[in-house]
């Protein structure tokens, strides 16, 4: 059956809406972390433990996503993940209002699982659309997530300023997510990523078979280096998502509202970087853009850490955000430039979620000992080292386009 331009448009719309929903949900949580901390009466280290729920859920979703996509396709996987995310956001709001520490942990675990299992699937669908259309999709796809974080942050700031209930805010976000899930899921491809079982005795060359597991992708040095790059830039992005409001409040003495404003600036910088990334990628290529991104982000993080001037530190957050903006989408696009995009994208994305798993509790414990500004030195070092690996994102020789599309779809 011939695919029409409207089919591709609806598929793009659906995955863009999913990423927007995730961004709104995550930012709605992040800007209210100071309030949730107060409701739970939690220390910095205890908040780090709460965030482990998000990380564990994310890793569980990521580790299971590729296998589910191979068996059931992207649509089924995204539906399961979206449902978990929505339920988790609602649970998080309700349990925060009840000062229920285990309930907040469990809600974050559901949120993390939903994002982890869905984003692998959605990135595989985005990579497939890039292959089929020959146009850049991934930066705008992740730009929708960042746009969602801007919307969620701005709304959260306004609601914080009027002392609106955290519970009701997150329940309303969950209802919005349910609407997206109910109306747009059917437009996501049911077949993308699905790998048919090969009948026994069928003579197919080994080089044409997809990997039996995404773990096999780690045997390739290029995939390993891409994984390290995405780990570093995901840590840069994730550390801001998890800790930036508290970093500005505790580390630079801002009020909770101003801390949320700074986070909104970070989210806006990431959004701008992602939506404007396509022309830069077309002109300079993945490797050069990634190298510049890591260095710009490193400069921003360094200024936040070492500058005692609140204005400089707040402005430096914009560099932090612009630099981290293209890390995830560009590295995943580079990973999709392989003979088995499904397992390559899953493997590289998993490395990014390792940063989300290890980062929150580690930075929390370091922050308890050295302060959050001191803890961010680890992020600065990792991001700077990643700039040395960016040649791995250069274009690779491809097989015949028909073979590549069959592996993707």
């Amino acid at each position: 059956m011939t695919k029409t331009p409207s089919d591709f448009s609806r598929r793009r719309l659906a995955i863009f809406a999913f990423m927007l929903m995730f961004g709104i949900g995550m930012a709605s949580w992040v800007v209210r972390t100071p309030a949730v901390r107060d409701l739970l009466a939690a220390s910095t280290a205890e908040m780090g433990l709460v965030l482990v729920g998000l990380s564990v859920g994310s890793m569980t979703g990521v580790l299971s996503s590729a296998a589910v996509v191979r068996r059931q396709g992207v649509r089924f996987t995204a539906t399961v993940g979206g449902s978990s995310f929505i339920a988790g956001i609602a649970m998080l709001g309700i349990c925060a209002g009840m000062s229920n520490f285990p309930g907040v942990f469990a809600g974050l675990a559901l949120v993390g699982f939903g994002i982890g299992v869905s984003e692998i699937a959605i990135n595989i669908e985005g990579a497939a659309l890039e292959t089929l259309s020959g146009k850049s999709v991934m930066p705008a796809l992740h730009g929708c997530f960042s746009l969602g974080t801007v919307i969620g942050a701005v709304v959260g700031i306004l609601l914080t300023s009027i002392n609106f209930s955290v519970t009701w805010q997150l329940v309303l976000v969950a209802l919005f997510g349910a609407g997206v899930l109910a109306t747009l899921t059917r437009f996501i491809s049911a077949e993308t990523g699905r790998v048919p079982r090969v009948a026994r005795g069928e003579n197919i060359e080994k080089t044409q078979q997809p990997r039996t597991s995404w773990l096999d992708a780690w045997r390739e040095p290029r995939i390993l280096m891409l994984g390290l790059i995405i780990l570093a830039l995901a840590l840069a992005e994730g550390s801001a998502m998890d800790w930036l409001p508290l970093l500005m409040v505790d580390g630079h003495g801002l009020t909770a509202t101003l801390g949320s404003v700074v986070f909104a600036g970070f989210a806006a910088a990431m959004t701008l970087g992602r939506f404007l990334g396509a022309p830069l990628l077309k002109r300079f290529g993945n490797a050069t853009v990634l190298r510049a991104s890591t260095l710009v982000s490193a400069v921003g993080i360094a200024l936040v850490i070492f500058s005692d001037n609140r204005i400089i530190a707040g402005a430096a957050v914009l560099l932090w955000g612009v630099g981290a903006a293209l890390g995830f989408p560009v590295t995943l696009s580079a990973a999709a430039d392989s003979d088995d995009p499904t397992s390559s994208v899953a493997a590289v994305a998993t490395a990014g979620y390792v940063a989300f798993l290890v980062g929150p509790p580690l930075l929390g414990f370091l922050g308890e000992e050295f302060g959050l500004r001191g803890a961010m030195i680890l992020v600065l070092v990792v991001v700077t080292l990643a700039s040395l690996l960016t040649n791995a994102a250069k274009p690779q020789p491809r097989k015949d386009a028909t073979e590549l599309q069959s592996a993707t779809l």
Side-chain angles (χ1 to χ4, degrees):
M1 182 177 179
T2 303
K3 300 290 185 180
T4 65
S6 60
D7 292 328
F8 293 118
S9 297
R10 285 192 292 264
R11 287 171 67 180
R12 282 194 296 267
L13 173 64
I15 60 176
F16 285 2
F18 260 71
M19 293 295 271
L20 182 74
M21 173 185 75
F22 290 143
I24 291 173
M26 286 303 299
S28 298
W29 148 253
V30 170
V31 297
R32 302 309 294 266
T33 50
V36 172
R37 178 186 62 177
D38 293 342
L39 288 171
L40 297 176
S43 67
T44 301
E46 287 171 336
M47 281 301 291
L49 288 175
V50 169
L51 291 169
V52 171
L54 182 65
S55 303
V56 170
S58 296
M59 282 305 299
T60 303
V62 167
L63 293 174
S64 59
S65 182
V68 178
V69 169
R70 285 173 174 273
R71 286 180 174 270
Q72 303 293 338
V74 163
R75 181 192 296 169
F76 176 87
T77 311
T79 301
V80 170
S83 300
S84 176
F85 178 82
I86 292 164
I89 286 289
M91 184 177 182
L92 175 59
I94 293 170
C95 291
M98 298 171 61
S99 301
N100 187 319
F101 191 104
V104 172
F105 181 96
L108 283 173
L110 287 174
V111 168
F113 177 81
I115 290 179
V117 77
S118 295
E119 281 204 357
I120 296 293
I122 289 171
N123 280 303
I124 290 170
E125 171 77 339
L129 289 176
E130 283 192 334
T131 300
L132 294 174
S133 67
K135 298 179 180 180
S136 177
V137 172
M138 300 294 273
L141 175 63
H142 287 264
C144 287
F145 177 86
S146 296
L147 178 60
T149 63
V150 173
I151 294 171
V154 170
V155 173
I157 291 166
L158 294 175
L159 295 180
T160 298
S161 67
I162 62 173
N163 295 317
F164 188 81
S165 166
V166 173
T167 297
W168 278 110
Q169 178 186 350
L170 295 180
V171 167
L172 290 172
V173 170
L175 291 175
F176 164 73
V180 171
L181 190 68
T183 57
L184 295 176
T185 303
R186 66 181 183 273
F187 297 131
I188 298 176
S189 171
E191 298 300 322
T192 300
R194 182 180 290 176
V195 178
R197 294 183 179 181
V198 179
R200 290 184 179 180
E202 189 173 349
N203 185 23
I204 297 180
E205 294 181 12
K206 184 176 180 180
T207 56
Q208 294 180 341
Q209 296 181 22
R211 303 182 184 101
T212 57
S213 168
W214 60 267
L215 292 171
D216 294 339
W218 289 118
R219 298 176 183 176
E220 299 180 22
R222 175 175 175 268
I223 297 300
L224 180 60
M225 287 189 287
L226 290 174
L228 293 173
I229 294 169
I230 207 170
L231 185 149
L233 290 175
L235 182 61
E237 177 181 352
S239 60
M241 292 292 295
D242 291 329
W243 291 111
L244 187 54
L246 289 177
L247 171 62
M248 300 309 295
V249 170
D250 295 347
H252 289 281
L254 301 185
T255 65
T257 299
L258 286 177
S260 296
V261 169
V262 171
F263 172 76
F266 172 85
M270 288 202 68
T271 302
L272 185 65
R274 284 173 169 171
F275 280 115
L276 297 181
L280 294 175
L281 292 168
K282 184 176 181 180
R283 181 172 181 178
F284 299 108
N286 287 351
T288 300
V289 170
L290 270 180
R291 185 176 301 110
S293 294
T294 56
L295 295 175
V296 169
S297 188
V299 170
I301 296 168
L303 289 173
V304 172
I305 293 170
F306 298 115
S307 175
D308 291 324
N309 185 298
R310 296 178 182 180
I311 296 176
I312 293 176
V317 167
L318 302 179
L319 295 177
W320 185 345
V322 168
L326 293 175
F328 232 98
V330 174
T331 310
L332 290 179
S333 289
D337 184 13
S338 70
D339 296 332
D340 185 358
T342 298
S343 61
S344 296
V345 170
V348 172
T350 299
Y353 282 99
V354 168
F356 293 129
L357 174 65
V358 176
L362 179 58
L363 292 175
F365 286 120
L366 290 175
E368 190 76 9
E369 184 69 23
F370 304 105
L372 285 174
R373 287 171 67 175
M376 292 297 161
I377 293 175
L378 173 64
V379 182
L380 173 62
V381 171
V382 171
V383 170
T384 302
L385 291 176
S387 66
L388 305 176
L389 304 175
T390 53
N391 281 340
K394 288 183 176 180
Q396 300 296 302
R398 292 191 177 190
K399 289 186 175 182
D400 179 77
T402 302
E403 293 182 21
L404 182 58
Q405 289 184 19
S406 64
T408 305
L409 301 175

